[in-house]
Structures are given as structure tokens and as C-alpha cells.
């Protein structure tokens, strides 16, 4: 991972390195496996959903999402809006469903990790029985190496570099615009260490709010390397089941569920799905892809209205995105792929432009503020990308 594309964290650059170790087609891959342009387009689609969602759900007339907790009131409002659309109907949908760009990123992250680190046969030394006798020692040394510098530490540095560029710029803008956040010393250090997710009431500690994702990704890197790397598929399925059971017993709108979903427990489902998909990926006929696309779209809507089924919506979102991306025309895939190329920079800079432009929408110019916010975010992300490309990895 030497160039900028490869210096991005795997959550936003999931498929960029796969061509170096597996043969990915450059074509559309309509009935085959994911191609690099399709992976980039998926990242572009995911980041657009996140960026638009993070603006729309701050507007008072717009319905709110069920992301960390489940509110029956939000579901009721969504049903009413669908039955009686108003001027802000697109914004309601973006607010309620846009946050599902996060599961797509988690899916692509796991997909990229498997393609990069597992598609090469492990280096086994000669020795037959001797190797079997020392397998436990090799496992121990592998874990030590993972913590010591070959995996988790380098990934922390990549996340840190990406986060710091946006965090510093945001705090400057936040300090000179109305509604300045009260930063506490310990919370700032926790954000820099990417452990704010572990604090009580993380939604009141992490600012800007979208930066909770950095802590989530760091946890998932650890989970992957220590628990799931080159392990039997049963480990992944068991972890998904355990995390699901931990959530089902919580109050739908309680703080316990909120804390769990701010951490890896809430993200294991799409992450594990991406991991298993990468290991078992096979060509699919068009009729199967269309069937998955239709069924998953129905499931996304129907599963969103019930608390227990709501936990599984991210899985269907990923299925919908992965199957649907193959049928997009090139005139849509190309701009989405370009957007995917700046997705990391767009993620870190969009809280900055939101803080600047959202007062315009609060004053009544809702769509004007949204359009200017999107234009400014994409433009600044283009510049941020060039800046991040020239910053060497920090040595901590």
C-alpha cells in the first residue's frame, strides 16, 4: 500500500489492491464477480448516502432514522410520509435510509481485507510433524506480530492520518461558527486514540458525530486480525450470532443498545457478510442477481418496521447494493466510481461544510442549502485528497 489509493483505510478503499493478488475483471462483470470499478462505484454510492443523510437528519421537519436505537415513532412517521408525500419526500428517505451507507463500507472493508491478506497461501516452513508440533507457537507469534506492527498498528496510523486532517479543520470551523461544541480534554484525547465509542453516551462525546466510524473501524480491524483471520467460516457466523443476541435483549430505545451499536457489536453483521462473500464469491447469472435485488429491496422496507427484524436490514442493504451495482449503466457507474475515489476525503470533510451551510436550510432554503453543501463537500474533498496524498504516515 504505497500510493494514495492504497494508503486509505480498508473501509474506504476496500477493493483497490485486489488486482495485485486476484484476477479482477476491468469490465462490467454483469453476471460475474465484483470488478474494481464496481467496488469504487459502491463506495461512491455509500458515501453519497452518508453525506446526504448526515445533512438531512439535522433538519427539523425531516423524519429521523433508526440507526443506533429503534424508535416506533420514526417508523410511523415514515409510513405517513410514504402514504402522503410532501415537498421534502426525497429528504425523508435520505434521512431514514441514508445511514445504511455505513454497512456497505463495512462490507467492502471486510471484502478488501480478505482479498488482500487471505488470497495468498500462508508461508509454511518445511517439516511436517515439526510444523504441527509448533503450530501453537506460530499462532502466538502471529498474534504478537499483529499487535506489534504488521497489521493493527499500521492501520491505526492510516486512520489517524485521515482523521486528523478533517478533525483539525473541523475544530477551527466549529470555533468560529455559532453553536461551538464544548470540548473536554479527556474526550479530545479519546477521539485521537479512537476509543470514544467505548465511553458512556458516545453520541454526546464524539464531535463531529460521523467520526465515530474511526473507532468502529479500529475495533473491527482488531476483531478481524485476532478472531477471524484465516479462520473457519463458523467463527464468523458464531460472532454474528453472539452480537445479534446481545442486542435483541436490549430496550429498543435504550442506552445499552445505543452503546453496543456504536461499537463493533453493531457492525459485525455487514462486516462478516463481506468477509464470507469474499471467500465464497462466485459468478451469478442475471436472473439470480435480479431475484436478489428485488427480494432484498422488499426486505429492506419490510424489515425496517419491526424491532427484531430491523437488526438484519444491513445484510439486505449490502445484498441490494452488490447485486444492483452490476445493472447500473456506465453513465452512472463512472461518476459513482470517481466519487468512490474521493470517498475517504469526502467522509472527513463533510462535517465541516455541513456546519457552514446547514443554517441556510434552517432558515427555510432547504434545497438550496443542501445543494451548496454537496457541491462544497465534493470540491473540498477533491482538495483534501490531494493534501492527504502528500502527507506521510505519522510515526507514533
Amino acid at each position: 500500500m504505497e500510493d494514495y489509493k492504497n494508503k486509505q483505510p480498508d473501509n474506504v478503499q476496500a477493493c483497490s489492491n485486489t488486482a495485485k493478488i486476484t484476477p479482477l475483471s476491468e469490465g462490467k462483470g454483469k453476471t460475474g464477480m465484483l470488478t474494481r470499478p464496481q467496488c469504487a462505484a459502491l463506495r461512491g454510492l455509500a458515501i453519497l448516502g452518508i453525506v446526504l443523510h448526515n445533512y438531512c437528519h439535522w433538519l427539523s421537519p425531516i423524519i429521523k432514522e433508526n440507526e443506533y436505537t429503534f424508535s416506533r415513532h420514526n417508523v410511523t412517521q415514515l409510513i405517513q410520509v410514504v402514504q402522503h408525500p410532501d415537498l421534502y419526500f426525497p429528504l425523508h428517505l435520505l434521512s431514514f435510509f441514508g445511514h445504511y451507507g455505513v454497512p456497505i463500507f463495512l462490507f467492502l472493508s471486510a471484502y478488501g481485507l480478505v482479498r488482500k491478506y487471505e488470497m495468498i497461501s500462508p508461508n509454511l516452513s518445511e517439516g511436517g510433524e515439526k510444523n504441527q508440533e509448533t503450530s501453537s507457537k506460530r499462532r502466538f507469534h502471529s498474534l504478537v506480530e499483529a499487535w506489534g506492527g504488521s497489521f493493527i498498528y499500521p492501520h491505526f496510523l492510516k486512520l489517524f492520518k485521515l482523521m486528523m486532517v478533517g478533525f483539525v479543520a473541523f475544530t477551527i470551523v466549529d470555533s468560529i461558527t455559532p453553536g461551538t461544541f464544548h470540548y473536554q480534554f479527556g474526550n479530545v484525547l479519546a477521539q485521537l486514540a479512537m476509543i470514544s465509542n467505548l465511553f458512556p453516551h458516545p453520541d454526546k462525546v464524539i464531535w463531529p458525530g460521523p467520526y465515530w466510524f474511526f473507532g468502529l473501524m479500529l475495533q473491527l480491524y482488531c476483531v478481524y486480525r485476532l478472531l477471524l483471520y484465516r479462520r473457519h467460516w463458523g467463527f464468523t457466523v458464531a460472532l454474528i450470532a453472539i452480537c445479534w443476541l446481545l442486542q435483541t435483549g436490549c430496550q429498543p430505545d435504550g442506552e445499552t443498545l445505543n452503546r453496543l451499536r456504536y461499537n463493533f457489536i453493531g457492525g459485525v453483521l455487514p462486516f462478516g457478510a463481506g468477509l464470507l462473500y469474499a471467500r465464497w464469491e462466485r459468478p451469478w447469472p442475471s436472473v439470480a442477481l435480479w431475484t436478489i435485488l428485488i427480494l432484498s429491496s422488499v426486505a429492506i422496507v419490510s424489515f425496517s418496521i419491526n424491532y427484531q427484524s430491523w437488526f438484519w436490514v444491513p445484510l439486505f442493504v449490502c445484498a441490494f447494493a452488490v447485486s444492483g451495482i452490476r445493472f447500473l449503466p456506465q453513465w452512472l457507474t463512472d461518476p459513482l466510481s470517481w466519487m468512490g475515489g474521493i470517498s475517504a476525503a469526502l467522509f472527513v470533510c463533510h462535517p465541516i461544510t455541513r456546519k457552514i451551510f446547514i443554517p441556510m436550510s434552517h432558515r427555510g432554503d432547504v434545497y438550496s442549502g443542501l445543494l451548496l453543501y454537496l457541491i462544497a463537500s465534493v470540491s473540498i474533498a477533491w482538495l483534501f485528497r490531494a493534501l492527504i496524498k502528500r502527507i506521510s504516515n505519522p510515526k507514533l
Side-chain angles (χ1 to χ4, degrees):
M1 305 209 304
E2 295 300 328
D3 57 6
Y4 168 74
K5 180 171 66 174
N6 293 331
K7 287 181 180 178
Q8 297 183 43
D10 293 281
N11 57 291
V12 292
Q13 189 56 41
C15 307
S16 60
N17 294 309
T18 58
K20 298 180 181 179
I21 52 180
T22 58
L24 285 182
S25 169
E26 293 289 350
K28 282 183 68 64
K30 191 172 183 179
T31 58
M33 294 182 257
L34 284 175
T35 64
R36 283 177 290 172
Q38 288 169 349
C39 287
L42 283 171
R43 292 196 306 274
L45 182 66
I47 194 61
L48 279 177
I50 293 170
V51 168
L52 293 172
H53 156 78
N54 282 334
Y55 189 93
C56 293
H57 80 151
W58 274 75
L59 304 177
S60 56
I62 307 302
I63 62 173
K64 304 303 182 282
E65 74 286 351
N66 289 333
E67 184 174 5
Y68 311 106
T69 58
F70 182 87
S71 169
R72 176 62 60 182
H73 175 69
N74 293 344
V75 173
T76 302
Q77 283 190 312
L78 176 67
I79 295 174
Q80 293 174 348
V81 165
V82 172
Q83 293 175 340
H84 306 285
D86 58 17
L87 178 64
Y88 303 126
F89 181 71
L91 306 189
H92 292 304
L93 296 182
L94 287 169
S95 175
F96 194 86
F97 292 106
H99 68 92
Y100 285 116
V102 171
I104 296 176
F105 270 133
L106 298 182
F107 180 95
L108 290 173
S109 175
Y111 182 90
L113 288 171
V114 171
R115 288 292 185 176
K116 180 179 178 183
Y117 294 106
E118 298 187 22
M119 292 303 171
I120 300 177
S121 299
N123 294 322
L124 298 178
S125 59
E126 300 178 358
E129 295 180 358
K130 182 178 180 180
N131 285 341
Q132 295 179 0
E133 293 174 357
T134 60
S135 60
S136 60
K137 293 182 179 179
R138 288 202 307 272
R139 169 64 65 178
F140 173 77
H141 291 303
S142 176
L143 294 178
V144 173
E145 183 184 5
W147 282 106
S150 67
F151 185 84
I152 294 175
Y153 182 64
H155 280 80
F156 171 83
L157 291 182
K158 293 171 194 173
L159 289 171
F160 183 83
K161 180 179 74 171
L162 188 63
M163 180 189 67
M164 280 301 295
V165 173
F167 185 68
V168 170
F170 177 83
T171 54
I172 294 173
V173 171
D174 188 46
S175 66
I176 60 177
T177 53
T180 301
F181 184 75
H182 178 64
Y183 294 94
Q184 296 184 11
F185 182 78
N187 294 345
V188 173
L189 293 181
Q191 181 61 51
L192 297 182
M194 287 175 269
I195 58 173
S196 297
N197 305 54
L198 303 175
F199 283 25
H201 305 286
D203 47 335
K204 296 179 174 59
V205 172
I206 303 171
W207 188 250
Y211 281 19
W212 74 280
F213 187 76
F214 289 106
L216 173 67
M217 277 313 307
L218 184 61
Q219 291 179 26
L220 287 173
Y221 283 140
C222 296
V223 168
Y224 169 74
R225 185 60 184 86
L226 300 178
L227 299 178
L228 306 178
Y229 172 67
R230 294 191 186 278
R231 293 294 188 95
H232 187 271
W233 61 266
F235 283 87
T236 303
V237 173
L239 184 61
I240 291 174
I242 292 171
C243 293
W244 166 62
L245 291 173
L246 287 174
Q247 297 174 75
T248 56
C250 299
Q251 290 294 325
D253 56 354
E255 175 58 22
T256 301
L257 181 64
N258 185 56
R259 290 189 68 181
L260 290 178
R261 292 181 66 83
Y262 258 92
N263 292 281
F264 79 90
I265 291 173
V268 159
L269 175 60
F271 187 83
L275 186 150
L276 296 178
Y277 182 81
R279 292 175 180 172
W280 295 344
E281 187 178 26
R282 298 292 184 274
W284 290 80
S286 293
V287 63
L289 292 174
W290 274 112
T291 302
I292 295 172
L293 183 65
I294 295 171
L295 293 179
S296 58
S297 63
V298 173
I300 290 170
V301 176
S302 60
F303 278 43
S304 294
I305 64 178
N306 180 270
Y307 174 56
Q308 294 298 333
S309 61
W310 163 72
F311 291 112
W312 300 96
V313 173
L315 182 62
F316 296 108
V317 169
C318 294
F320 177 86
V322 171
S323 58
I325 201 68
R326 293 172 166 90
F327 297 108
L328 288 183
Q330 189 168 358
W331 63 269
L332 275 178
T333 303
D334 288 346
L336 283 176
S337 298
W338 181 85
M339 194 71 67
I342 64 169
S343 58
L346 185 54
F347 179 80
V348 299
C349 78
H350 82 273
I352 304 170
T353 51
R354 181 184 64 181
K355 186 77 189 295
I356 296 171
F357 286 101
I358 204 166
M360 181 182 297
S361 293
H362 286 160
R363 292 192 298 267
D365 299 320
V366 176
Y367 280 103
S368 297
L370 178 62
L371 178 60
L372 291 174
Y373 156 75
L374 186 59
I375 293 173
S377 297
V378 172
S379 301
I380 294 176
W382 197 2
L383 298 175
F384 268 40
R385 180 184 184 274
L387 173 63
I388 296 170
K389 182 179 180 180
R390 288 166 172 76
I391 299 176
S392 60
N393 284 333
K395 304 296 183 182
L396 299 181

